[in-house]
Amino acid sequence: MNKIQKFPILCVLTILSVLCNCAAESVRLKNGINIYLEEQNTSPLTSIQIWVAVGSVDEPLELSGISHFIEHTIFKGTKTRGRNDIAPAIERKGGVMNAATSKDFTYFYALVPEQHCTETLDIISDAILNPEFPQEEIDKERLVVLEEISRRDDMPVAVLSNEFYSLIYGTNPYSARILGSSGVITSLSREKILDFHKSYYTPDKIFIVLTGKFNSKSVLAQITKYFGALKYQKTGSKTSNANVSFLPDINSSSRSKIFYKNVSQTYMIMGFPAADIKSNDQYKLDVLSYIIGHGKACRLNKKFVEENKLAYAVSASFSTHRGPGLFSIYTECPPGNADTLRNRIMLELLELPSSITEEELSRAKTLLLRDKLLDRQTPDGLADEIGFYAALGNPDITTRYIKEIQKVGIHDIGEIIDKYFSFPNLPTVIVTYEDF
Amino acid sequence: MKKYIYCFFAFSLQLSFLSAQVINYTKLDSGVTLIHVEEKGSGTVSASLFVRGGNSGESAQESGITWLMLKLLLKGTGKYNAEQIALETELLGASITSGCSNDYSEISLTVLAKNFTPAFQIFADVINNPVFPEKEFETEKRKLLATIMSKNDSIFDTSLDLFYETIYRGHPYGMPVTGYYASVSSLTVAQAADRYNKMFRKDDMIISVAGDIEFAKLKETVEKFFPGVKQVPAEEYSNAGSGLLYAQGESFAEKKIFKGKFGQSFIFSGFLAPCAGERVYPAIKLINAIYGGGMGSRLFEQLREKYGFVYEASSFYPTRISSSVFAVYAGTSKENIESVESAIKDTLKNISPISEQELLAGKEFLKGTYLMDHRTQYKRAWYLGMWEAVGLGYGYDTTYIKDIDNVTPYEIHRVIGAYFDISKLVTIIVE
């Protein structure tokens, strides 16, 4: 190969580790609420994020989708603010306010020009701590969420993802759909919503992150004023769903599912459950995902898209969760290639421990750290990372991540595959068209 | 780390921040325009090369050729094969991507500052010395056909393509940048090479850079790697304003209903609107922000907050060298599509008057979101080059916000009267 230069990979990784440095100030209020502050004076923006460690995995079956529904309705008014005084009020100041729900958490965020930091923090705090959930707004928002469910049901990739979680996790709560079911959403009552909010929006589950331009001292005083008033209350075993930590047994269930829809090509996802948020294996899994499925020179793209053309596209990722995470490989391909492609990917995983090269490892680690550096250059990118790991229960990862990635060696990749991938078990979901 | 999340609403620097930056601008001897903003200590550099001319210079038979040609640039040069380009780039912690819009083509580089020079060498090589290998052409064509097929599985993409095709009636703006399945199927590698030879002229190249690199070093590097780019006589091909449009006032009303394969229905509704160079451009941007720009917009309030008809509804007014569109879209259940269409018409019909309070709020929203859109290094470089490529000049990156601030209530009133005529509304519905 015609080398452009002898690449000093160790040197680059060292430089990246310095550039990626994250030094958020961490403060814990007396009632247990955790606050993370990192001033970045190069930005004229302030990112304000409030993470609540409650998501679809915490919901009983009869309330499936309630976390997401609360995310939708929480901005509809408080005792002192109507809905137009919340998100639209932030927009009138040149900012945005929004929210999102996942399996493990719900988070609320605002990104505003720094001069509006105080007012925005005031509004978002009030919305989250004192929601009124007006009945009229609940009834309207039901229709909106039902539309959202319909919208996602029209997306092959969303169907694939939902069915894949269901297949992999079986009876584990991670199999539940974040948006819930139409039946549950149609019948959710205001009382259930208020009760769920009261049970889960408690100090031990709340994580507040500010990044960008702001004054730490005054912001901390403001947060203490609002959130310090919350009574200490540990949700503990009453509301924490212990089932999330069960590693699904992928040997005992159906190994693959095919869904026939009116689509134009075949969408396929395969993978296995792996490390949870407490495990050091997650760093190795992130590196593995970059080796095989990230970038144009990754192994699967090179082999199956560029060389033998079995696939149109392929990528891999590791989704970190409070409980067992999910390592997945996603592909798009002609329908006739799906079986061959799946088998070839399985063999590739099997052979990877003995064939991986230093160059592949270096490429993956460099790209992974480069992406981390780019994420951390924006206030919201940095806040996303800090809040994510804090809400999942391992906040130290943000400061440790770079070093842990640097430590990953070739033998670690081999070990991680042997540990979590049990040939020939590679649960797979396919969405394809009728006459396939 | 990857997060699966579901957002409340799918959305997507301060004036003094933008105007305070020092922008270096020069025309190099080779003809290349170089724009630069230094960001010390960031550790990364983003560079975008723009060439005027996107898919708007294509015929229907060649639809998709620009996109395909741009993908093929990364698949082989006289010095490196496709695999080498991919691997060597990524070993340097760099990414090179390419694509086009209606009006311009773009190749972008993001790289660690320490590795800027070797990465830029590859970047320059793919731009200046592509060899268009036949084998790689077939691979890229196959991938592009798959992309076109996969768009058919998205109700948004399907509806958007149908809307543009309907409203632009045979003009290249009405064709998808990725082309049609039939046109791409028949493209040849010779056509890709020909497209490249016509488009990539040194006097049409704009390189915009933001990042951790000094201007002197950047200039030296660009001069070294872009010494003499191929020049095509102007009479043979003109990227600027290629195949342009009918004048304002030639809009027409039309409604088309298409049978879809989706559970939801989708509507796009709008009319032709002035291009980026016209004086009313900032006023229409502002009207767009007030009408359908966010959670506090009139459209959102009417369709989602008042009736709960939609999860997704917005309006847009894209920046175009030739005629743009002012368009509204929404996804809803099949039983509500008539109500949504009616609500869109009503809100457009009653768009005037816009109060001073709304105008002020709209200005703040637009300025704030523009600031936010500049928060990545890539976008800061991109905006400088994009404004230059569409003919408004790199300085418009700061002038734009001033222009927004200067829009008066009278101008809003006048623009609505002149352009927001719902008797010329073009609507497509995918049922």
Side-chain angles (χ1 to χ4, degrees), chain A residues 1-5 7 11-12 15-16 19 42 44-45 51 68 71-72 75-76 83-84 87-88 91-103 105 111 113-115 137 140-141 143-144 147-148 150-152 154 156 161-162 165 178-179 262-265 267 286 295-298 302 305-306 309-312 317-320 332 334 359 363 366-367 370 373-374 377-378 380 384 388-389, chain B residues 1-11 13-14 17 41-44 74-75 79-80 83-84 86-88 90-97 110-112 114-115 118 121-122 135-136 138-140 142-143 146-147 149-150 152-153 155-156 261-264 266 293-297 301 304-312 331-333 336 360-361 364-365 367-369 371-372 375-377 380:
Chain A
M1 185 177 281
N2 181 11
K3 289 279 182 188
I4 295 162
Q5 63 165 29
F7 185 62
C11 175
V12 168
I15 289 166
L16 273 167
L19 290 166
T42 51
L45 299 167
W51 294 67
H68 175 254
E71 174 227 307
H72 269 245
F75 288 160
K76 298 297 185 182
R83 64 174 155 78
N84 276 321
E91 289 183 354
R92 290 193 289 271
K93 302 290 180 189
V96 293
M97 184 188 279
N98 214 322
T101 309
S102 85
K103 303 274 184 189
F105 57 81
L111 187 63
E114 53 103 5
Q115 67 269 29
E137 297 294 342
K140 278 187 291 186
E141 206 60 24
L143 304 174
V144 172
E147 285 298 336
E148 188 179 358
S150 301
R151 177 95 169 91
R152 294 199 67 82
D154 273 340
S161 174
N162 284 333
Y165 265 89
I178 295 167
L179 300 188
N262 190 357
V263 290
S264 306
Q265 59 182 5
Y267 302 85
D286 277 353
K296 289 173 185 161
C298 72
K302 194 173 136 190
V305 178
E306 302 294 341
K309 300 175 179 35
L310 284 170
Y312 299 130
S317 66
F318 175 61
S319 300
T320 312
E332 293 172 21
E359 189 174 68
R363 186 200 69 89
T366 302
L367 277 192
R370 191 278 312 263
L373 172 62
L374 291 174
Q377 282 179 353
T378 63
D380 49 322
D384 280 349
F388 176 77
Y389 287 122
Chain B
M1 167 185 114
K2 188 181 175 190
K3 291 174 284 183
Y4 282 105
I5 56 174
Y6 293 88
C7 288
F8 176 60
F9 179 62
F11 270 108
L13 297 168
Q14 199 168 357
F17 180 84
S42 64
T44 52
L74 312 183
K75 291 299 179 175
K79 202 170 179 182
Y80 310 115
E83 187 183 342
Q84 288 170 324
L87 181 60
E88 298 299 341
E90 292 179 357
L91 280 171
L92 292 165
S95 299
I96 300 176
T97 57
T110 299
V111 62
L112 297 167
K114 179 192 162 22
N115 293 331
Q121 180 192 348
I122 303 173
K135 183 178 151 227
E136 299 293 346
E138 291 306 323
T139 304
E140 286 308 306
R142 187 173 160 275
K143 281 155 71 177
T147 301
M149 283 194 295
S150 111
N152 294 334
D153 295 335
I155 191 169
F156 180 91
K261 60 179 184 179
F262 306 98
Q264 271 201 317
F266 223 86
M295 289 159 75
S297 69
E301 173 65 25
R304 180 160 155 170
E305 299 293 354
K306 191 170 174 185
Y307 295 113
F309 281 153
V310 301
Y311 168 65
E312 188 180 6
T332 189
S333 57
N336 284 336
L360 284 174
E364 289 308 307
F365 176 72
K367 288 188 292 182
T369 48
L371 198 67
M372 283 170 211
R375 72 189 187 282
T376 63
Q377 198 168 64
R380 290 192 288 275

Side-chain angles (χ1 to χ4, degrees), chain A residues 212-399:
Chain A
K213 199 164 189 181
F214 61 94
N215 181 293
S216 288
K217 198 176 166 187
S218 62
V219 153
L220 192 55
Q222 199 182 352
I223 293 172
T224 307
K225 180 183 155 194
Y226 296 131
F227 286 87
L230 266 185
K231 280 186 186 167
Y232 173 80
Q233 178 192 351
K234 193 168 171 62
T235 51
S237 57
K238 186 185 162 203
T239 50
S240 290
N241 193 339
N243 290 333
V244 300
S245 58
F246 294 160
L247 189 65
D249 177 9
I250 60 170
N251 298 310
S252 63
S253 59
S254 169
R255 298 284 46 85
S256 64
K257 278 186 184 175
I258 298 181
F259 296 87
Y260 295 103
K261 291 178 77 78
N262 190 357
V263 290
S264 306
Q265 59 182 5
T266 295
Y267 302 85
M268 179 163 67
I269 191 165
M270 65 200 83
F272 44 84
D276 64 21
I277 188 66
K278 302 287 185 191
S279 168
N280 282 341
D281 288 347
Q282 61 184 298
Y283 310 107
K284 301 164 193 171
L285 288 156
D286 277 353
V287 175
L288 171 63
S289 73
Y290 269 63
I291 290 172
I292 65 170
H294 192 97
K296 289 173 185 161
C298 72
R299 190 179 275 215
L300 297 183
N301 187 66
K302 194 173 136 190
K303 288 207 169 181
F304 301 126
V305 178
E306 302 294 341
E307 284 177 16
N308 64 28
K309 300 175 179 35
L310 284 170
Y312 299 130
V314 62
S315 61
S317 66
F318 175 61
S319 300
T320 312
H321 289 304
R322 215 186 305 165
L326 182 56
F327 190 91
S328 56
I329 297 163
Y330 168 80
T331 73
E332 293 172 21
C333 65
N337 290 359
D339 280 346
T340 308
L341 181 59
R342 179 177 178 270
N343 290 336
R344 292 290 303 273
I345 288 173
M346 200 151 48
L347 287 173
E348 200 62 45
L349 284 173
L350 194 65
E351 291 167 4
L352 193 67
S354 59
S355 61
I356 184 172
T357 66
E358 280 292 349
E359 189 174 68
E360 285 181 297
L361 182 69
S362 297
R363 186 200 69 89
K365 287 162 73 171
T366 302
L367 277 192
L368 185 52
L369 296 184
R370 191 278 312 263
D371 289 348
K372 188 65 74 178
L373 172 62
L374 291 174
D375 285 345
R376 289 182 179 181
Q377 282 179 353
T378 63
D380 49 322
L382 178 60
D384 280 349
E385 185 184 352
I386 295 170
F388 176 77
Y389 287 122
L392 262 61
N394 199 349
D396 294 342
I397 291 178
T398 307
T399 46

Side-chain angles (χ1 to χ4, degrees), chain A residues 22-87:
Chain A
C22 173
E25 179 190 357
S26 169
V27 179
R28 191 182 177 92
L29 298 184
K30 283 179 186 169
N31 61 7
I33 287 180
N34 289 286
I35 302 159
Y36 302 89
L37 308 171
E38 182 159 344
E39 293 185 44
Q40 297 168 299
N41 286 321
T42 51
S43 173
L45 299 167
T46 312
S47 173
I48 301 170
Q49 300 192 349
I50 298 176
W51 294 67
V52 186
V54 57
S56 58
V57 295
D58 301 296
E59 300 163 348
L61 201 58
E62 66 275 15
L63 293 178
S64 175
I66 192 170
S67 304
H68 175 254
F69 196 78
I70 286 176
E71 174 227 307
H72 269 245
T73 46
I74 209 162
F75 288 160
K76 298 297 185 182
T78 70
K79 286 183 178 62
T80 56
R81 288 183 168 90
R83 64 174 155 78
N84 276 321
D85 304 319
I86 301 177

